[in-house]
Amino acid sequence: MQFAIQWLVDKFSFLSPISILLLISLMFIVGTVVLLLAMLYEGLGTYALRKIGGDIQVRIGPNRVGPVGLLQFLADGVKLFLKEDIVPTVVDKKLFILAPFITFAASCAAFVALSYSDRLVISNLNIGLFYLLAISSLVVIGVIMAGWASNSKWSLLGGMRAAAQIVSYEIPIGLSLLSVILITQSLNMGEIIRSQSGGWGILNWHIFHNPFVFISFFIYFTAALAEVNQTPFDLPETESELVAGYFTEYSGMRFGFFFMAEWGEIFIVSAIAVTLFLGGWQLPIINNLDIHIYLKNLLQLGVFLGKTFLLIYLMLWIRWTLPRLRVDQIMYMCWKVLLPFAFFNIIGTGLWLLIFKGKGIPELVIQLFS
Amino acid sequence: MEAQRIYQLLTEKFPGNIYELKEKATQPASIRVNPETIVEISSYLRDDSELAFDFLMCLSAVDYPENFTVVYHLFSTKHLHKIAIGVKLPREAPRVHTVEVVWPAANWHEREAYDLMGIVFDKHSDLRRILLPDDWDGHTLRKDYQAPKTYNGVKI
Amino acid sequence: MAALESEEMFINMGPQHPSTHGVLRLMLRTDGEVVREAVPHIGYLHRSLEKIAENVTYSQFMPFTDRLDYLASMNCNHVYAMAVERLAGIEVPERAEYLRVIMAELNRISSHLIAFGSFGADMGAFTPFIYAIREREKINDLFEMVCGARLTYNYYRIGGVAQDLPEGFVGKTREFLDYFEPKVKEYNRLLSWNKIFLKRLTNIAVIKPEEAIAYGVTGPNLRGSGVKWDLRKNEPYSVYDRFEFEVPVGTGEKGTVGDCWDRYWVRIREMEESVRIIRQALDRLPDGEIRAKVPRVFKPPEGEVYLRAENPRGDLGFYLVSDGSTNPYRLKIRAPSFCTMSIFRKLSQGLMVADLVALIGSLDIILPEIDR
């Protein structure tokens, strides 16, 4: 995108009407492509959820629409679109209608800042990580709005839980990511991934840099589960306590937007984990391949998605295995367990960087033997 | 303990208020007592160490042609003996004092008896209908109950 | 810490709610998430079974007992049949008694399986529910072999059972028992010992033993409070005195005696005990008649009887009054869940909304039995 804009600016004078028009249409096209890809992923994500869930629960899962049920998400999507759009009479209409869009838009907007491969970056932001954290926090605004506007007590309780939980867990997430930022000294997603390349293969990944970052990864992953309302922490939407939490009163495609937003969120937090801790699109074998640049980028995209889906699979596995915590236990875990550890990790990483002059464990080990 | 002995203990303690012991074709044996003194008798049955009826198994109301009868089926988890206590109430105004203070289990059973049989339990803490809607007419388990044609305008 | 000023809120939980196990309605008075009081409102499933009983003959009422506790129809059948037999003084043939015990215990397992599974679902772990359903299907297959039905069996008759075992039933049952026993260990690994599960359930909604007896709480809920009381053992009916089995009680090994986990744990161990009973009954299954001679127009003599027996959810009692005619004069059903539910208001005070769900699940109530 940046290249395209640069090209436009070079070609035409900067503020000519035609360049602005082209720019806007370009943004529109890219936006639509991103949105479509995001929705495709979210559709396939729900398919994966049901198939994996079925596998874990000794049942079959969707297998009727399309080959092995692959098109089930299309059927579901069509169904959701065709369903009657019910807006209960006592809701706060404006907020009620707005809420799912905010949530959905926020989760889709996060997709642009990710670095999918060396060259495939939709928007190469220098504050990429910061942007991601900021935009995914917007999701909770839609959730609270939905809880409040529904004018239902179950929704309200769900919204309150969401507000308390998601806002709280943002802090350990931010802090655990800080320890990586200390090492990379950059917020750009591409830069962070490139800083994990080097001669020792996967040992260059930040997760193996020092023990503090290793712990940070698990803090991040746990907090991320809470951030995206996955099972041990799925309090805002507990189906057995709050009926469906903040989206109890939603139906049809409005419900569908919440559902897709949740999937977008799951992808984003997994992608962030992959980017910061697990080497992003890098895999030692592919790095050293001497092939055409486009093919290489395609492979890198595959690697990136593969790693991300592995983390998503892990989340689903946890989701189908564990019971859920109670609301006070969740807050306890955030403020009294994860947060102190996250602080400790920042200090630890800082000291490590001071003492060992920015070198990670693999480097030190090799120094020791050479 | 034998029903005979329980009957004997009760008549000694509450002379004139214990009416009859029925053992034939009745399991467990049943003792008919004066409804006026049901709370005293119940407390005695529960608190006496020899009797120790601490478990109210069941509380039922029966609609006989000449009266209503409330039957308390008691059991002692300590001595493992059973007895049924029955009180006869007049058909016109069946009232009896609640035994909720003696056995908390009676609370819901008495509400049920009130709801379905129309027996009023004096001093009950929460005597509301329990199974039927609050605005239901009549008490369905009475033998002379006639089912209504409509309920709140809805045909039944 | 200075108390913040807060407003109380009334919430209607049910009659349509995912975890009230049926059409139970609770009026919650809450302060945020903390429940000040939960008042149960029941009766949404009231079918006036006791009135129906007065208008049908003794044997015609048998199918209605299926609808009392539909997860344990066999057990309800059993108690009613015994009550009528006691009233009329009928001796049941030995083989019939054994068949009754086998069916009742199989049904106890299937009922506890649902309790286990839906409890897991209440706690947010949905997978155990599917596992439990998988095993229950096999029990349903067995019942289907025996009586052709999968939910409301109507298998017991006054004086015996409806029909003898079909060919291959004993072998299939043994197969199931061999298959089922290791599964219980799997459940424990998956759910019972789970850290989060324990954290959610231990020390929550403790029922003290004396309290349980005063409120008439029976069955696994009473045993969860540490009272070793099981009618199959303490007041043996049918042929239960011929079998060896333990009565599991709550020991508070993970928290307090009588908390939610103890009640849950009693059910899990009871399934294993039921397996033991069925094995012994299958081994000793005698030959002979399966039904006593009962006249076609069945008129028990005048009299009254109160009979109770151990159902999966507690003591189910029938108070039968006969006036010598073909229909019961009065039938009162003492439903275990009804008595269990009466302690609910007391237990709910000070719990959180999430604990309330745990409490309902651990009490394992069933609504058609409460509402009758």
Side-chain angles (χ1 to χ4, degrees):
Chain A
M1 183 105 182
Q2 254 101 351
F3 301 116
I5 294 168
Q6 201 60 50
W7 179 78
L8 275 175
V9 171
D10 290 347
K11 190 92 179 170
F12 309 96
S13 66
F14 186 65
L15 278 176
S16 74
I18 193 155
S19 78
I20 288 177
L21 198 71
L22 275 171
L23 202 61
I24 289 174
S25 52
L26 185 76
M27 283 165 77
F28 195 75
I29 292 166
V30 173
T32 315
V33 169
V34 171
L35 195 68
L36 281 177
L37 284 175
M39 283 176 83
L40 181 71
Y41 147 72
E42 278 151 11
L44 288 173
T46 55
Y47 172 76
L49 165 81
R50 294 167 66 176
K51 236 10 190 187
I52 295 167
D55 197 36
I56 292 173
Q57 299 183 337
V58 291
R59 51 190 178 83
I60 294 166
N63 67 345
R64 286 281 164 243
V65 190
V68 291
L70 254 174
L71 296 179
Q72 181 69 43
F73 75 94
L74 275 182
D76 286 347
V78 169
K79 183 198 76 178
L80 282 177
F81 266 114
L82 294 181
K83 264 194 157 179
E84 190 190 349
D85 174 32
I86 300 167
V87 180
T89 45
V90 290
V91 299
D92 187 329
K93 276 225 171 57
K94 278 180 206 147
L95 291 184
F96 185 83
I97 289 169
L98 194 59
F101 296 123
I102 290 183
T103 307
F104 183 64
S107 91
C108 279
F111 277 81
V112 294
L114 291 174
S115 171
Y116 295 95
S117 78
D118 199 8
R119 293 288 180 82
L120 186 59
V121 188
I122 297 161
S123 178
N124 192 17
L125 293 171
N126 57 349
I127 49 156
L129 185 61
F130 186 68
Y131 167 82
L132 275 175
L133 288 180
I135 203 89
S136 59
S137 307
L138 264 182
V139 168
V140 73
I141 293 183
V143 168
I144 297 170
M145 247 178 172
W148 177 256
S150 293
N151 208 357
S152 148
K153 281 161 185 171
W154 295 121
S155 298
L156 181 64
L157 277 180
M160 298 308 287
R161 282 180 174 189
Q165 177 186 326
I166 300 178
V167 172
S168 306
Y169 273 88
E170 227 131 75
I171 299 164
I173 283 187
L175 290 178
S176 57
L177 294 182
L178 264 182
S179 51
V180 175
I181 294 166
L182 280 178
I183 301 169
T184 61
Q185 299 178 1
S186 164
L187 289 168
N188 182 303
M189 300 302 264
E191 287 295 314
I192 293 171
I193 295 177
R194 270 177 222 108
S195 72
Q196 301 179 54
S197 62
W200 304 296
I202 65 166
L203 289 178
N204 273 104
W205 295 357
H206 284 324
I207 188 172
F208 301 117
H209 187 278
N210 67 48
F212 302 107
V213 179
F214 191 74
I215 300 169
S216 277
F217 170 72
F218 290 98
I219 292 179
Y220 173 78
F221 193 72
T222 315
L225 279 177
E227 176 85 0
V228 297
N229 304 331
Q230 283 304 302
T231 273
F233 311 105
D234 63 342
L235 287 177
E237 47 190 275
T238 48
E239 79 282 357
S240 65
E241 291 158 29
L242 303 185
V243 189
Y246 55 86
F247 54 75
T248 305
E249 306 293 339
Y250 282 89
S251 65
M253 206 50 216
R254 286 184 214 288
F255 161 76
F257 278 132
F258 275 122
F259 199 68
M260 289 199 292
E262 191 186 318
W263 271 96
E265 279 274 277
I266 289 176
F267 184 86
I268 297 299
V269 296
S270 306
I272 292 176
V274 168
T275 306
L276 266 75
F277 296 98
L278 302 177
W281 32 258
Q282 309 204 55
L283 206 63
I285 311 158
I286 289 169
N287 277 357
N288 305 332
L289 280 181
D290 191 23
I291 44 174
H292 194 273
I293 187 90
Y294 287 122
L295 194 62
K296 195 163 177 176
N297 268 291
L298 210 60
L299 280 174
Q300 285 171 339
L301 175 67
V303 169
F304 183 79
L305 291 181
K307 285 179 184 175
T308 309
F309 283 129
L310 266 180
L311 279 188
I312 294 178
Y313 181 80
L314 192 62
M315 282 192 179
L316 293 183
W317 193 354
I318 293 171
R319 173 188 183 142
W320 292 121
T321 311
L322 294 180
R324 80 170 68 82
L325 286 158
R326 204 172 52 207
V327 64
D328 56 325
Q329 291 164 343
I330 281 190
M331 298 316 270
Y332 179 94
M333 181 155 163
C334 176
W335 294 104
K336 296 197 174 166
V337 181
L338 294 183
L339 201 58
F341 268 104
F343 272 121
F344 172 74
N345 280 333
I346 294 178
I347 296 168
T349 313
L351 285 177
W352 181 283
L353 292 175
L354 264 180
I355 295 166
F356 297 108
K357 309 218 164 42
K359 289 184 177 123
I361 287 178
E363 267 176 291
L364 290 172
V365 169
I366 287 180
Q367 260 181 7
L368 206 66
F369 285 106
S370 59
Chain B
M1 196 188 290
E2 292 293 308
Q4 287 286 355
R5 171 92 181 109
I6 295 169
Y7 179 68
Q8 197 187 338
L9 276 174
L10 280 176
T11 37
E12 277 165 23
K13 181 83 183 170
F14 301 98
N17 289 324
I18 311 297
Y19 299 145
E20 59 173 323
L21 170 71
K22 210 166 116 195
E23 277 187 295
K24 191 173 159 286
T26 307
Q27 287 187 13
S30 127
I31 298 172
R32 197 159 66 76
V33 303
N34 183 358
E36 304 282 318
T37 55
I38 184 70
V39 181
E40 290 80 12
I41 294 174
S42 308
S43 314
Y44 173 69
L45 283 169
R46 184 194 62 178
D47 295 333
D48 188 80
S49 61
E50 218 179 318
L51 298 166
F53 284 106
D54 52 356
F55 190 81
L56 177 76
M57 294 191 289
C58 189
L59 187 155
S60 346
V62 190
D63 181 2
Y64 288 113
E66 58 278 6
N67 56 39
F68 284 110
T69 303
V70 177
V71 187
Y72 307 81
H73 286 100
L74 306 176
F75 176 69
S76 165
T77 53
K78 203 163 139 203
H79 304 303
L80 311 183
H81 51 215
K82 290 181 199 166
I83 196 79
I85 300 292
V87 292
K88 283 192 178 167
L89 308 173
R91 275 206 72 91
E92 309 76 57
R95 294 182 87 89
V96 66
H97 202 286
T98 176
V99 292
E100 183 199 350
V101 281
V102 187
W103 299 289
N107 186 325
W108 275 33
H109 282 297
E110 286 179 344
R111 276 179 70 187
E112 192 192 314
Y114 164 73
D115 186 3
L116 303 180
M117 205 65 102
I119 289 162
V120 179
F121 292 89
D122 293 324
K123 302 275 168 64
H124 191 283
S125 63
D126 185 27
L127 197 63
R128 290 176 292 131
R129 284 188 181 271
I130 188 165
L131 293 175
L132 298 176
D134 287 341
D135 55 354
W136 194 264
D137 246 355
H139 304 283
T140 49
L141 275 185
R142 289 190 176 184
K143 293 279 178 190
D144 56 1
Y145 175 76
Q146 292 291 324
K149 292 275 178 298
T150 59
Y151 168 65
N152 281 347
V154 183
K155 235 177 109 190
I156 299 175
Chain C
M1 196 175 77
L4 289 169
E5 199 176 311
S6 57
E7 239 177 81
E8 286 183 343
M9 169 163 79
F10 283 96
I11 312 182
N12 224 347
M13 189 166 175
Q16 279 91 27
H17 189 275
S19 50
T20 49
H21 292 212
V23 281
L24 170 67
R25 176 174 155 227
L26 300 169
M27 255 333 264
L28 311 186
R29 189 159 57 83
T30 67
D31 181 357
E33 290 252 354
V34 182
V35 177
R36 293 274 173 250
E37 193 180 36
V39 183
H41 291 264
I42 60 171
Y44 287 87
L45 222 58
H46 182 55
R47 293 146 297 168
S48 244
L49 283 182
E50 293 169 8
K51 187 80 174 174
I52 291 172
E54 293 172 15
N55 296 306
V56 296
T57 64
Y58 283 92
S59 46
Q60 276 172 345
F61 190 67
M62 188 63 85
F64 288 97
T65 60
D66 285 335
R67 276 91 181 152
L68 264 183
D69 177 352
Y70 58 78
L71 294 177
S73 300
M74 290 287 189
N75 302 65
C76 295
N77 279 183
H78 194 180
V79 188
Y80 177 70
M82 283 195 302
V84 179
E85 284 150 12
R86 180 77 61 85
L87 193 64
I90 297 169
E91 279 290 315
V92 181
E94 207 185 2
R95 184 175 170 83
E97 291 280 26
Y98 273 83
L99 293 184
R100 282 177 170 192
V101 167
I102 291 169
M103 298 307 156
E105 291 308 314
L106 275 174
N107 212 165
R108 192 182 309 275
I109 293 176
S110 95
S111 167
H112 282 347
L113 275 174
I114 292 290
F116 154 78
S118 56
F119 195 32
D122 288 346
M123 294 291 97
F126 196 67
T127 307
F129 184 70
I130 309 277
Y131 281 25
I133 290 282
R134 174 184 63 183
E135 267 71 85
R136 184 172 176 267
E137 276 307 296
K138 294 190 192 294
I139 298 181
N140 282 353
D141 288 344
L142 291 175
F143 285 155
E144 196 181 359
M145 276 176 82
V146 166
C147 62
R150 293 174 72 85
L151 188 71
T152 48
Y153 310 114
N154 189 23
Y155 176 62
Y156 292 46
R157 292 287 180 272
I158 295 163
V161 293
Q163 56 247 330
D164 210 337
L165 294 181
E167 219 172 289
F169 178 86
V170 176
K172 281 236 167 92
T173 310
R174 281 190 211 278
E175 223 169 83
F176 166 74
L177 296 178
D178 292 339
Y179 160 85
F180 179 69
E181 266 196 318
K183 292 287 175 207
V184 179
K185 303 202 166 48
E186 193 183 311
Y187 301 157
N188 289 342
R189 283 204 306 274
L190 179 64
L191 194 63
S192 306
W193 308 119
N194 184 297
K195 273 259 157 58
I196 299 175
F197 192 66
L198 287 171
K199 246 199 151 97
R200 282 292 305 278
L201 297 176
T202 48
N203 305 322
I204 297 294
V206 175
I207 307 181
K208 294 190 200 79
E210 57 275 20
E211 215 171 66
I213 289 172
Y215 275 90
V217 176
T218 47
N221 297 327
L222 177 64
R223 291 193 280 280
S225 298
V227 181
K228 210 172 178 111
W229 181 257
D230 188 323
L231 291 176
R232 292 173 295 171
K233 202 87 176 173
N234 300 62
E235 213 180 275
Y237 53 92
S238 199
V239 284
Y240 276 109
D241 48 349
R242 303 187 195 173
F243 305 123
E244 263 176 47
F245 61 98
E246 294 295 315
V247 179
V249 291
T251 52
E253 59 182 290
K254 299 285 172 190
T256 323
V257 180
D259 59 13
C260 288
W261 192 80
D262 268 354
R263 292 193 280 276
Y264 161 84
W265 188 229
V266 164
R267 287 196 185 89
I268 294 286
R269 283 186 293 163
E270 260 179 33
M271 291 200 278
E272 293 176 321
E273 296 305 322
S274 290
V275 169
R276 272 178 76 188
I277 297 176
I278 300 168
R279 278 194 203 285
Q280 294 172 46
L282 286 175
D283 288 341
R284 301 181 205 161
L285 187 63
D287 288 330
E289 288 289 305
I290 54 147
R291 205 189 313 180
K293 279 263 180 290
V294 176
R296 182 146 297 197
V297 182
F298 175 65
K299 283 185 184 170
E302 249 180 84
E304 54 184 76
V305 68
Y306 177 80
L307 187 133
R308 56 179 183 166
E310 188 73 29
N311 250 30
R313 282 169 186 76
D315 300 4
L316 176 68
F318 281 96
Y319 175 53
L320 264 173
V321 182
S322 159
D323 60 351
S325 69
T326 52
N327 301 356
Y329 183 76
R330 171 84 165 99
L331 172 70
K332 154 96 186 184
I333 303 160
R334 185 260 191 221
S337 300
F338 182 83
C339 299
T340 308
M341 209 54 210
S342 67
I343 199 176
F344 191 83
R345 192 172 178 171
K346 188 174 185 318
L347 287 179
S348 65
Q349 284 157 11
L351 295 179
M352 300 188 87
V353 175
D355 297 334
L356 214 59
V357 173
L359 174 58
I360 299 173
S362 77
L363 290 177
D364 186 28
I365 49 164
I366 187 149
L367 268 297
E369 185 182 69
I370 296 181
D371 295 343
R372 281 159 289 152

